Every structure is written in C-alpha cells, then in structure tokens.
C-alpha cells in the first residue's frame, strides 16, 4: 500500500447556486460551498517592476487599514497590486495600476508575461495574476501617478530600491514576500 495518493488533474466543472449566499456587498460575497464559508471576490494583479539599467525595483510603502488595525503601524511594505474590474484582462489591470500606483506607463508594444495565477487562500475564490516586470528605459514612460483617490492610495507611495538592498527588506504580507523571493531568483541572488 502506498503512503500517499497519486495526484490526478481535475477539470474545472463545478458551478454553485446563488441560494447559499451568506453576505454580499459591492466588493465581495460570502457563500456557503460544501459546508465552507467562502469569500468570493475579484482576482488581482501583482507585480514588481525591475528597472534593468538602474538595477532598481519599485515597491510600495502603503497605508493598509487592516494591517494598521492589527499592529498599529501606518506604513507597510507591499508590492504594486490592484483588483481586476469587471470585464478587464489581467494585462489591462496591470497597465492601469502601474500608472495609478507608480507613475509608470508601459509602451503599447510591451508584452506582459504573467506566471500561472495562484489563489489568495483556501477560503477565497480570488487569484493573484503575478509577474516580475523587467523594464528597459525605452519600454516605459514615467508619468505622474494618478491614484484612485482612496485614502489608502493618497497615504501611500511607490519607492525605487537598489537591488543590493533587497535582503534588508521586511515584507508586510505573504504575497510581497513571495514576490521578493521571485525577484531574488530573477536576479540570481
């Protein structure tokens, strides 16, 4: 008898009725699925732009109300991210978020290469579409960050960090830590 079962790929075929919605607002639904309370919300894009000629990457010092509620700190180290709006493709969301959060406008010809998306958590339907975004100077234009006008955006800022300091950074959340590890791999560190 084998100690572990063999992994078999399953097709995504399950659909759920709307009769088990426990809570709903403009941003999310809490739904009962097979005796689990599951948060249903939109996917997000996540990235760390890496400016190749400068050997710098862009990350955020961000005001995150949930993190402040837990630890009392105003600023947290996070990656650039944004929620996909209805009908948006990940690449379109990322282009929008780069302008809003970092003042980076990608050239139309720039091709974004996402890795396979991963789920936020076991209790959430949303996925992260993520990538390291290597950028040469001729592939983008720096513009004034537009922000979405939210308190969080107004109290946050994008910062350029020299790659030699990557080991000194302390991520505030799991996805930022994952992305810093991905960047270290990309940089062979």
């Amino acid at each position: 008898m084998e100690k572990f079962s063999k992994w078999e790929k399953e097709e995504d075929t399950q659909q759920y009725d709307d009769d088990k919605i426990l809570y709903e607002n403009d941003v999310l639904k809490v739904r009962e699925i097979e005796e689990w309370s599951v948060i249903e919300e939109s996917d997000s894009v996540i990235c760390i732009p890496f400016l190749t000629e400068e050997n710098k990457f862009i990350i955020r010092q961000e005001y995150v109300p949930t993190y402040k509620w837990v630890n009392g700190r105003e600023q947290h180290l996070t990656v650039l991210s944004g929620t996909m709006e209805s009908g948006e493709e990940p690449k379109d969301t990322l282009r929008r978020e780069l302008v809003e959060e970092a003042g980076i406008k990608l050239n139309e010809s720039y091709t974004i290469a996402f890795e396979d998306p991963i789920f936020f958590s076991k209790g959430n339907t949303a996925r992260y579409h993520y990538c390291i975004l290597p950028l040469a100077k001729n592939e983008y234009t720096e513009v004034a960050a537009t922000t979405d006008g939210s308190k969080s955006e107004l109290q946050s800022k994008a910062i350029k960090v020299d790659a030699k300091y990557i080991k000194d950074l302390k991520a505030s959340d799991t996805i930022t830590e994952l992305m810093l590890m991905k960047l270290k791999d990309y940089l062979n560190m």
Side-chain angles (χ1 to χ4, degrees):
M1 183 166 128
E2 291 186 38
K3 183 175 180 178
F4 298 102
S5 300
K6 291 182 181 177
W7 179 78
E8 295 178 20
K9 186 174 180 175
E10 293 184 35
E11 296 297 319
D12 297 331
T13 58
Q14 188 66 45
Q15 297 293 318
Y16 294 97
D17 297 328
D18 283 343
D19 61 350
K20 297 275 186 147
I21 294 174
L22 305 174
Y23 173 81
E24 182 176 6
N25 67 20
D26 292 340
V27 179
L28 61 86
K29 290 181 187 176
V30 179
R31 175 188 301 270
E32 185 178 321
I33 299 174
E34 297 180 26
E35 300 178 7
W36 281 42
S37 295
V38 175
I39 298 169
E40 183 180 341
E41 58 186 330
S42 298
D43 287 3
S44 290
V45 296
I46 309 290
C47 85
I48 295 182
F50 178 67
L51 310 177
T52 56
E53 287 100 342
E54 296 180 47
N55 200 39
K56 293 181 179 179
F57 60 95
I58 299 174
I59 202 146
R60 302 231 332 143
Q61 284 182 320
E62 189 167 5
Y63 174 80
V64 184
T66 49
Y67 299 171
K68 180 183 176 189
W69 184 71
V70 172
N71 68 17
R73 292 195 344 248
E74 292 281 330
Q75 295 291 309
H76 295 84
L77 190 67
T78 64
V79 289
L80 278 70
S81 63
T83 303
M84 292 173 58
E85 295 177 1
S86 180
E88 249 183 347
E89 292 294 321
K91 64 181 173 58
D92 301 321
T93 304
L94 183 57
R95 286 179 179 276
R96 175 177 49 79
E97 290 295 335
L98 285 166
V99 172
E100 286 180 10
E101 294 190 353
I104 293 176
K105 184 175 185 332
L106 296 177
N107 293 350
E108 288 300 318
S109 61
Y110 187 86
T111 302
I112 299 168
F114 288 102
E115 295 198 38
D116 290 337
I118 57 175
F119 286 100
F120 283 24
S121 69
K122 291 179 184 178
N124 194 307
T125 64
R127 297 173 303 161
Y128 290 120
H129 300 263
Y130 64 101
C131 64
I132 299 298
L133 201 65
L135 295 171
K137 287 182 182 179
N138 65 344
E139 295 176 316
Y140 70 98
T141 305
E142 289 189 27
V143 297
T146 57
T147 82
D148 64 8
S150 67
K151 178 181 178 180
S152 177
E153 287 264 329
L154 296 173
Q155 294 183 359
S156 303
K157 63 182 175 182
I159 55 173
K160 286 183 184 178
V161 179
D162 193 298
K164 66 184 176 188
Y165 297 116
I166 193 169
K167 294 176 184 171
D168 299 331
L169 298 179
K170 184 173 169 137
S172 295
D173 53 47
T174 306
I175 194 64
T176 300
E177 183 65 28
L178 170 69
M179 292 304 293
L180 289 172
M181 290 182 343
K182 292 275 186 189
L183 183 58
K184 288 176 193 173
D185 285 347
Y186 176 81
L187 299 173
N188 296 315
M189 298 177 106

